[in-house]
Amino acid sequence: DIRTGSLDTIFLGGIAFQLPDGAPPGEPVENGADFNLYDSYEQIQEKPYRHSVEYVVEFSQSLRGLVPGAPVEYRGIPIGHVKKILFSEMLNRAEKLSSSDPEKLGSGLPIAVLITIEPGRLGLPDTQDSVEFLKKNIEMGVRNGLRASLMTGNLLTGSLFISADYYEDVDTKEIGSFASYETIPTIHVGLGR
């Protein structure tokens, strides 16, 4: 039994039931179950999971077309989204570098991007234990060639997204740090510059 407002409410927007992208189907619902309602489809994609882990990825190429909310994918499977571009944090780093290593400042520092990865999108339980499991796997993955890259999502609009995948013949790296976040190493692939 679904209860809605007046017919005007239905005609002006109505209600649609849908799972967030990548969310596994749940159990059948009981009579009288409560549902969270969102104003838009985009809003449900923003934070459908309670547990997540944040990382920073840094790119030396143009970020034109990369916006907060852009997907983060692992081999084409949505696993999270771009939270924000850390431009002011990058400027703080540049300010510190200007006094300690002025030559490095003029070489064009990479721009840091904060991403959120949600274990629930990978079919793991939406728990803190899954976050810890995911962090250990990402750490081991980085040692084995896991890298993040910028990819073109739409040639017409120029939208970008972040892709994570394994690459052969890359230098062995470890999880790094930027501000208070851990970093995943990046690799330049594709057309964009």
Side-chain angles (χ1 to χ4, degrees), residues 3-190:
R3 295 185 186 139
T4 64
S6 67
L7 282 176
D8 289 333
T9 304
I10 294 171
F11 287 122
L12 291 174
I15 297 176
F17 289 89
Q18 184 171 352
L19 289 171
D21 289 345
E27 299 295 318
V29 295
E30 301 283 327
N31 190 16
D34 290 326
F35 294 91
N36 292 329
L37 297 179
Y38 297 86
D39 290 334
S40 67
Y41 178 75
E42 290 74 27
Q43 233 181 17
I44 194 172
Q45 295 297 95
E46 282 179 18
K47 190 86 173 146
Y49 299 100
R50 290 182 26 235
H51 295 89
S52 62
V53 60
E54 294 178 334
Y55 286 96
V56 166
V57 290
E58 298 179 271
F59 297 103
S60 295
Q61 68 246 53
S62 171
L63 298 184
R64 181 185 301 152
L66 186 70
V67 296
V72 174
E73 297 182 356
Y74 171 71
R75 295 186 173 171
I77 301 167
I79 61 170
H81 64 275
V82 171
K83 191 164 185 183
K84 71 183 219 178
I85 296 173
L86 301 174
F87 198 73
S88 61
E89 290 84 346
M90 190 198 78
L91 292 176
N92 289 340
R93 179 204 274 176
E95 191 175 319
K96 289 176 187 172
L97 273 176
S98 66
S99 59
S100 65
D101 191 357
E103 302 248 339
K104 198 168 188 181
L105 183 63
S107 63
L109 295 175
I111 299 173
V113 178
L114 181 63
I115 63 171
T116 298
I117 300 173
E118 296 143 332
R121 290 187 184 271
L122 294 164
L124 296 169
D126 189 18
T127 64
Q128 188 59 37
D129 287 343
S130 292
V131 167
E132 297 307 319
F133 175 77
L134 184 62
K135 287 172 74 173
K136 286 178 187 171
N137 274 281
I138 290 173
E139 185 176 337
M140 189 171 24
V142 165
R143 282 189 223 119
N144 293 318
L146 179 68
R147 302 291 183 265
S149 60
L150 278 177
M151 303 296 275
T152 302
N154 185 314
L155 288 174
L156 293 176
T157 64
S159 67
L160 298 176
F161 68 95
I162 295 175
S163 174
D165 207 339
Y166 287 88
Y167 293 88
E168 294 180 13
D169 301 325
V170 292
D171 293 338
T172 302
K173 295 207 177 188
E174 299 285 330
I175 294 283
S177 65
F178 176 88
S180 60
Y181 303 102
E182 291 185 323
T183 62
I184 296 174
T186 59
I187 189 169
H188 181 80
V189 297

